Amino acid sequence: MISNLKNIKFSKILLIICLIFNSMLLAEDNKPKTALVLSGGGARCFAQIGVIKALEEIGFYPDFIVGTSFGALIGALYAGGSTPQEIEEFIANTRWNRVLASQPFRDIEFVSQKIRTLPELFTLRFDENFNVIFPRNLLSTQALQERIFQMTIYPEYYSGSDFDSLAIPLRIIATDLKTGKMVVLSNGNLARSVTASSAFPIILAPVKYGTYLLADGGLTDNVPIDVALDLGAEFIVAVDVSSKIVPLAENFDVFDIFGQAMNTLAYPSDTKNLELADVLIRPEIDHITSTDFDSLNSLVESGYRSCQKYWGKIQPYADNICKSPDFLENAINKLNNTSINQIKYSSDQATREYILRREMELKEGDRWNLKLAQRSMKNLYSTGLFKNVYLSLSEVDSNRADLLVEVEEHERTAFSFGARYDSERKASAFISGKYRNLLGRGIDNQVNLIVSDLLFRAEWNSRTIRVLSSNFTGYTSLYHLNESIPLYNNDGRRVESGKLYRTGLEANAGIQIKRVGLTAFGLKWENTVADSTIHYIPRVNHDNYSVGSLTLRILVDNVDDPDLPKSGRVNDIRYEHSIERDRLKQFDRISVESVTYETFDEKYTFSTTLHLGYLNKVLNHYEQFRLGGLNSLPGYHQDELWGSMIGVLGLGCRAPLTSGIYCRLSGMVGNVWDGFSDFDWRQSRAGISLGIVIPTPIGPISADYGIGSHNHRLFYISVGRYF
């Protein structure tokens, strides 16, 4: 009897529990599906972080996220399990000037690449049939994709590349440039998808994705509320951070036109679509542009305040339940405990697989390592053979995964153009024809023509960054130049010009130390014909001679930027031993150049310069060391002074005046001498310069005034990069 009563009570309790559980399920089923829609808008999308902070504060966690352009970036990070604070930290720690860059960064290039690169202004590439392929963009998407990859690879792998299996189901909006139609991405490579959605035409390169050629989703649907409705959303919170279209000022310029074009493309054309949102949040950020990546704090705060106004309307749909609070932590733990089973490479590239394998620092059998994966991507991109590099993972079993490496190759044939002007050497330009990746082995062949008022140079060179899978490098060059060299009297006045004709052949082989050092040995033969009509400086030795020599070069270069360096150093040691020929006596020449850069308080960059050189024979002045010029001895003309021995010490400082304009001050002391017997440091000359420099896409624009010893004064103007 007692046993029966206990059974009855237990059954009642079980029935009550079941009823409660069923009612909870029913309530869950009846709960309206919610969605968060994030528009595009460049840097203005950072305001969406503040909106998410405010939504979480009242317990609103959406069932779906739909994002366009940089809104897709914010959405992907949030859907992948990152908190608003983590997203904000990620954005703050991103160096956007590096991420949105047109060229590979010097820190991922080998030294052999740094010393043989001409500063291109414009490049035309050709396909296999020699049809012109015009440039598709100004900036590469590789660095952006790599940065996004850092935060998305873990949730991507954990979800099996299914966006519905993320912490919050996600849709990413892009535009197929082939058809002009909207594409809704729901699976695949998460970093690649976000990059494609953010690729604003002309500025960023479109992304190949299967049969699609994808660009910014804002072109077709910048506030994709309709996509959220298609997913079954019943309550939609949309955040629109697109820029308002305002009338152009009367004195508008090309930059105003471009900005207005961006605003027009991104601004929602169908306002009725916006009315479909239950809550439409428009942060008060009209004063902030889409390219203002330094206004993160202000944007986040504006987004938070704007959302607060709608708390009352949103609160009834809040459930105070974070969908997957441990999603990202679990994803990180799973992948970090996963080993690489196989590394597979895309099969449609012409580049030999051993080149791809040698650049991979993550190997088969290794435990997953994010830093090694990122370095592998950088290594592959730094070869200059590929437009884009993508990594993705596919699970084999609980603790093993296959790594897929996809590369998009550059066209092999290209012609490049460059130009520069400076007040010393006047106008100069070059045209370069290149055939890269010969036989798929990474061998580049190049023909260059350089022309200026004072110089004509024609050359062919062949370069191998790395021989097979080693760190050995090789370089061969055949060249001819005609050079007019101004000659000056003691007062700095130009009196006449000398003519110099050189024809030479050189071959170098070296070993590279990581990516910052190079030790190279070489053979060089050179024939020189000098103008014999020069009267101001008497002839020394012969005007027509040939020299064969052995060369040694030790170079360390880890400077971060060739135009406006902020950190790093260049140490360059060269030694040349000549072989007697055509009555020219043997000589030994050695030079040491060292430049260091260091920045304090992220504003003030200080530099030191040291140049020492010694030539043990008094040769034709064309073979001697040259001194003078803005970067050598301010106040003097470029190469105004000649000697068999040189010693220069310099100090410099650069600081920002306003946004995009820098002030610089430098001072140097040194001289040239005929040899040790003539050396006297008390005879040193000094120079000081003050000027401004403005970085531009075509290279720095600068204006400097220099004052040197003996009343030497010069004004220097330059536009473009040195070559």
Side-chain angles (χ1 to χ4, degrees), residues 194-322:
V194 173
T195 304
S197 181
S198 307
F200 194 86
I202 302 178
I203 303 301
L204 293 171
V207 176
K208 286 186 177 180
Y209 205 119
T211 59
Y212 299 123
L213 184 63
L214 299 181
D216 199 303
L219 299 175
T220 49
D221 200 349
N222 198 49
V223 193
I225 299 171
D226 50 337
V227 177
L229 289 170
D230 292 340
L231 291 173
E234 300 168 271
F235 181 80
I236 298 174
V237 177
V239 187
D240 180 15
V241 294
S242 55
S243 301
K244 292 183 178 179
I245 301 174
V246 297
L248 287 175
E250 291 186 3
N251 57 341
F252 64 87
D253 55 25
V254 65
F255 300 103
D256 296 321
I257 295 174
F258 179 76
Q260 189 78 318
M262 291 184 63
N263 295 340
T264 302
L265 287 172
Y267 195 77
S269 57
D270 186 3
T271 56
K272 292 184 178 180
N273 184 49
L274 298 179
E275 297 173 359
L276 299 175
D278 298 278
V279 174
L280 180 62
I281 301 173
R282 283 176 162 162
E284 296 176 1
I285 53 175
D286 291 340
H287 61 290
I288 300 176
T289 67
S290 60
T291 57
D292 190 357
F293 293 95
D294 296 325
S295 297
L296 173 63
N297 294 336
S298 176
L299 287 164
V300 172
E301 181 63 25
S302 295
Y304 180 86
R305 291 197 308 268
S306 298
C307 184
Q308 278 185 315
K309 300 176 182 179
Y310 298 93
W311 271 357
K313 194 172 183 179
I314 300 173
Q315 182 74 60
Y317 299 90
D319 52 16
N320 294 295
I321 301 174
C322 182

Side-chain angles (χ1 to χ4, degrees), residues 1 97 104 146 200 207 219 267 297 390 572 588-589 707:
M1 185 69 176
N97 62 325
E146 285 179 18
F200 194 86
V207 176
L219 299 175
Y267 195 77
N297 294 336
Y390 304 100
D572 192 0
D588 295 278
R589 176 167 35 213
I707 302 175

Side-chain angles (χ1 to χ4, degrees), residues 23-302:
S23 64
M24 290 175 62
L25 289 178
L26 185 62
E28 179 67 22
D29 289 340
N30 292 332
K31 175 185 160 306
K33 297 295 183 182
T34 60
L36 176 63
V37 176
L38 304 175
S39 79
R44 291 163 60 94
C45 292
F46 301 161
Q48 296 164 352
I49 302 171
V51 172
I52 296 173
K53 281 185 177 182
L55 291 175
E56 284 198 353
E57 196 166 312
I58 59 173
F60 180 88
Y61 296 91
D63 296 304
F64 310 104
I65 296 176
V66 184
T68 294
S69 193
F70 265 42
L73 169 62
I74 305 299
L77 296 177
Y78 192 47
S82 296
T83 66
Q85 292 75 19
E86 289 170 337
I87 299 172
E88 185 175 1
E89 183 178 347
F90 168 80
I91 298 297
N93 293 333
T94 300
R95 299 171 62 181
W96 293 101
N97 62 325
R98 289 176 59 89
V99 168
L100 301 174
S102 59
Q103 299 293 332
F105 305 116
R106 297 185 94 243
D107 58 356
I108 65 174
E109 294 182 317
F110 281 102
V111 172
S112 60
Q113 296 170 276
K114 300 174 184 177
I115 61 177
R116 295 295 182 184
T117 301
L118 288 170
E120 304 168 356
L121 285 180
F122 185 77
T123 298
L124 282 179
R125 303 186 185 278
F126 298 82
D127 61 17
E128 296 179 351
N129 298 319
F130 215 70
N131 296 313
V132 177
I133 301 176
F134 290 96
R136 296 176 176 176
N137 56 280
L138 297 175
L139 306 177
S140 169
T141 57
Q142 179 64 29
L144 176 63
Q145 187 260 143
E146 285 179 18
R147 182 62 173 150
I148 300 172
F149 170 86
Q150 178 182 344
M151 290 290 286
T152 59
I153 185 60
Y154 292 99
E156 177 189 317
Y157 180 71
Y158 194 64
S159 66
S161 301
D162 180 5
F163 298 173
D164 282 337
S165 299
L166 293 168
I168 303 174
L170 172 71
R171 293 296 183 270
I172 293 174
I173 308 303
T175 301
D176 183 13
L177 293 181
K178 293 181 178 180
T179 63
K181 296 181 179 180
M182 180 179 69
V183 177
V184 182
L185 300 173
S186 60
N187 58 71
N189 188 307
L190 192 52
R192 195 171 185 173
S193 301
V194 173
T195 304
S197 181
S198 307
F200 194 86
I202 302 178
I203 303 301
L204 293 171
V207 176
K208 286 186 177 180
Y209 205 119
T211 59
Y212 299 123
L213 184 63
L214 299 181
D216 199 303
L219 299 175
T220 49
D221 200 349
N222 198 49
V223 193
I225 299 171
D226 50 337
V227 177
L229 289 170
D230 292 340
L231 291 173
E234 300 168 271
F235 181 80
I236 298 174
V237 177
V239 187
D240 180 15
V241 294
S242 55
S243 301
K244 292 183 178 179
I245 301 174
V246 297
L248 287 175
E250 291 186 3
N251 57 341
F252 64 87
D253 55 25
V254 65
F255 300 103
D256 296 321
I257 295 174
F258 179 76
Q260 189 78 318
M262 291 184 63
N263 295 340
T264 302
L265 287 172
Y267 195 77
S269 57
D270 186 3
T271 56
K272 292 184 178 180
N273 184 49
L274 298 179
E275 297 173 359
L276 299 175
D278 298 278
V279 174
L280 180 62
I281 301 173
R282 283 176 162 162
E284 296 176 1
I285 53 175
D286 291 340
H287 61 290
I288 300 176
T289 67
S290 60
T291 57
D292 190 357
F293 293 95
D294 296 325
S295 297
L296 173 63
N297 294 336
S298 176
L299 287 164
V300 172
E301 181 63 25
S302 295

